[in-house]
């Protein structure tokens, strides 16, 4: 079992805040992934059972629950901060406690960040990203060495409540984040605790194969066709630098009717070629460009992302740039050492 890093007093305080809370909010990051959704809902379900009768616990995601994860237990309770702005404001105003999961700074909640920062309630952070923004939270449970926030939630709640509030639904939520943040137990799983967590969760009669299918085998036909286009027409390969890069303008996305959610995971294709060591994906949005970076071995893409005003993990990081799409592309090329280098193959825009 993971035991490092928890302060007994902090755990007692957190348990106390939940026990005395009346209106409690849980929040995770924009464009939620499996770990965000899983830790948000797993923690919500346990807090439901740990809190006093009659209190209200509300999970919130800045732009709602992605369709890949709507099958998670209690996903229908998630307030979409963007679409249900008034509801979010009301719940935040009433809240005595806000628990933030799988984010290291309020900025990761995008359009909710300002209100979250200004909120007067107690704020707790449970996260595994580097450099938590300490001044924004009253209590921090941070463990960058751990596979996923879901794993951290498992160990933290076990230390706080033993297994009193665990059940099959909670285990399903937490296993989801463990699975997605490790790419199906392929990376970020160097610590034995990751597999110990999986073993703990499987005890609750969850179905790993079914969860895997619901996460992975979910493509629409349009999305599959877009991937074909992306790999054929937009993948640039730089063998000498061992870099692969894909960049998608708004026009590309409109042509196939795809959005950011549909591109979740596409960046990982850059590292599927055995010679490639660093991969990047750029996606133009209205007024900004999203950059995703991935690395295999020694390269620290977190440092690279920080230079673009973002961050993340050593081998998976990202940034949101407000420069133009073209400028962002130039900047990324410079950081990757491929500015002015001819890619292996690159068909010009159609
Ligand atoms: Mn995570």
């Amino acid at each position: 079992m993971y035991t490092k890093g928890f302060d007994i007093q902090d755990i007692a305080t957190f348990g106390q805040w939940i026990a005395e809370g009346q209106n409690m909010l849980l929040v995770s990051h924009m464009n939620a992934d499996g770990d965000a959704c899983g830790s948000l809902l797993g923690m919500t379900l346990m807090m439901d059972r740990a809190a006093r009768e009659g209190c209200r616990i509300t999970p919130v995601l800045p732009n709602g629950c992605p369709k890949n994860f709507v099958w998670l237990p209690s996903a229908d309770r998630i307030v979409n901060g963007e679409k249900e702005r008034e509801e979010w404001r009301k719940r935040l105003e009433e809240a005595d406690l806000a628990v933030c999961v799988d984010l290291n700074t309020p900025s990761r909640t995008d359009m909710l960040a300002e209100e979250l920062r200004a909120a007067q309630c107690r704020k707790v952070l449970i996260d595994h990203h580097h450099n938590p923004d300490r001044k924004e939270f009253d209590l921090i449970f941070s463990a960058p060495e751990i596979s996923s926030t879901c794993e951290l939630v498992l160990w933290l709640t076990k230390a706080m409540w033993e297994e009193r509030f665990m059940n099959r639904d909670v285990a399903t939520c937490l296993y989801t984040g463990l699975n997605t943040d490790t790419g199906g137990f392929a990376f970020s799983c160097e610590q034995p605790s990751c597999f110990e967590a999986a073993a703990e969760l499987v005890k609750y009669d969850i179905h790993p194969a079914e969860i895997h299918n619901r996460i992975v085998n979910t493509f629409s036909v349009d999305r599959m066709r877009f991937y074909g286009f992306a790999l054929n027409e937009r993948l640039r390969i730089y063998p000498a630098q061992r870099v692969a890069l894909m960049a998608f303008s708004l026009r590309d996305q409109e042509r196939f009717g795809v959005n950011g959610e549909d591109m979740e995971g596409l960046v990982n294709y850059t590292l599927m070629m055995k010679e490639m060591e660093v991969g990047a994906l750029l996606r133009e949005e209205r007024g900004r460009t999203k950059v995703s970076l991935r690395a295999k071995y020694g390269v620290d893409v977190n440092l690279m992302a920080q230079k673009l005003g973002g961050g993340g993990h050593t081998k998976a990081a990202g940034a949101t740039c407000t420069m133009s799409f073209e400028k962002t592309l130039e900047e990324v090329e410079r950081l990757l050492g491929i500015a002015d280098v001819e890619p292996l193959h690159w068909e010009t825009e159609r």
Side-chain angles (χ1 to χ4, degrees):
M1 180 182 154
Y2 177 87
T3 49
K4 294 178 289 184
F6 294 140
D7 181 296
I8 293 170
Q9 189 52 53
D10 283 354
I11 288 175
T13 305
F14 187 27
Q16 180 69 33
W17 288 355
I18 292 171
E20 62 191 34
Q22 186 58 44
N23 292 294
M24 295 180 266
L25 271 185
L26 292 103
V27 187
S28 193
H29 59 79
M30 180 79 180
N31 300 327
D33 55 10
D35 195 30
C37 296
S39 56
L40 184 85
L41 293 171
M43 197 62 205
T44 297
L45 292 169
M46 281 192 276
M47 281 170 63
D48 279 345
R49 305 175 71 192
R52 289 187 300 179
E53 217 167 297
C55 69
R56 184 146 69 169
I57 294 160
T58 311
V60 180
L61 287 173
N63 58 341
C65 184
K67 46 184 188 300
N68 271 7
F69 299 108
V70 291
W71 56 274
L72 281 171
S74 279
D76 57 345
R77 284 170 61 186
I78 295 173
V79 169
N80 181 324
E82 192 174 29
K83 290 203 176 126
E84 302 169 79
R85 209 59 203 254
E86 278 317 304
E87 181 74 1
W88 148 257
R89 284 196 180 123
K90 198 163 135 264
R91 298 289 176 100
L92 183 66
E93 199 173 308
E94 291 168 352
D96 33 55
L97 175 66
V99 179
C100 298
V101 293
D102 202 38
L103 54 86
N104 55 359
T105 160
S107 330
R108 295 281 288 116
T109 65
D110 217 87
M111 64 294 222
L112 307 185
E114 217 169 290
E115 288 155 324
L116 184 60
R117 274 202 187 92
Q120 293 301 306
C121 63
R122 290 162 167 163
K123 289 170 207 159
V124 177
L125 177 68
I126 308 174
D127 182 46
H128 72 135
H129 295 85
H130 289 281
N131 311 317
D133 195 345
R134 300 209 166 259
K135 64 181 187 308
E136 296 287 350
F137 301 95
D138 301 296
L139 209 50
I140 290 185
F141 300 98
S142 162
E145 71 281 12
I146 229 168
S147 68
S148 52
T149 300
C150 281
E151 187 194 328
L152 185 55
V153 165
L154 177 70
W155 301 133
L156 175 64
T157 55
K158 202 169 165 154
M160 189 157 63
W161 296 318
E162 297 178 331
E163 288 169 42
R164 277 205 295 285
F165 307 121
M166 280 295 296
N167 59 24
R168 188 165 180 262
D169 280 354
V170 174
T172 296
C173 291
L174 298 184
Y175 186 87
T176 295
L178 209 59
N179 181 309
T180 55
D181 259 25
T182 60
F185 303 96
F187 49 79
S188 305
C189 53
E190 301 83 2
Q191 306 291 331
S193 71
C194 169
F195 295 94
E196 285 161 15
E200 291 271 329
L201 296 171
V202 167
K203 281 197 309 203
Y204 292 93
D205 196 29
I206 58 171
H207 297 300
E210 190 186 318
I211 294 172
H212 178 82
N213 271 327
R214 284 181 183 271
I215 295 167
V216 177
N217 300 327
T218 56
F219 275 46
S220 66
V221 173
D222 283 347
R223 186 177 176 188
M224 201 67 188
R225 297 264 187 242
F226 172 74
Y227 270 46
F229 161 79
L231 298 176
N232 265 310
E233 312 280 337
R234 291 290 181 267
L235 177 64
R236 296 197 233 163
I237 298 163
Y238 300 86
Q241 291 73 22
R242 298 181 178 265
V243 168
L245 177 145
M246 292 189 240
F248 303 100
S249 63
L250 275 172
R251 202 171 139 234
D252 283 344
Q253 298 171 65
E254 279 154 13
R255 182 174 156 201
F256 287 87
V258 293
N259 57 26
E261 212 175 290
D262 295 312
M263 272 182 249
E264 189 69 48
L266 180 57
V267 64
N268 299 321
Y269 282 70
T270 56
L271 295 186
M272 285 172 82
M273 291 163 285
K274 62 176 185 291
E275 296 86 0
M276 296 303 124
E277 292 182 6
V278 182
L281 185 147
L282 279 76
R283 183 172 62 79
E284 185 182 13
E285 288 185 350
R286 302 224 172 272
R288 60 187 193 179
T289 298
K290 295 283 211 185
V291 181
S292 301
L293 299 164
R294 295 291 183 274
K296 265 183 198 160
Y297 310 111
V299 184
D300 185 345
V301 286
N302 183 35
L303 287 175
M304 226 177 269
Q306 280 172 11
K307 287 186 184 142
L308 295 165
H313 306 285
T314 317
K315 296 191 168 48
T320 303
C321 301
T322 48
M323 304 171 274
S324 71
F325 178 60
E326 293 73 18
K327 265 262 164 313
T328 307
L329 184 55
E330 274 173 31
E331 195 55 30
V332 172
E333 286 174 342
R334 203 181 55 76
L335 287 169
L336 291 171
I338 54 170
D340 308 318
V341 182
E342 226 12 71
L344 191 63
H345 171 77
W346 174 239
E347 268 184 41
T348 45
E349 191 127 284
R350 317 192 139 191

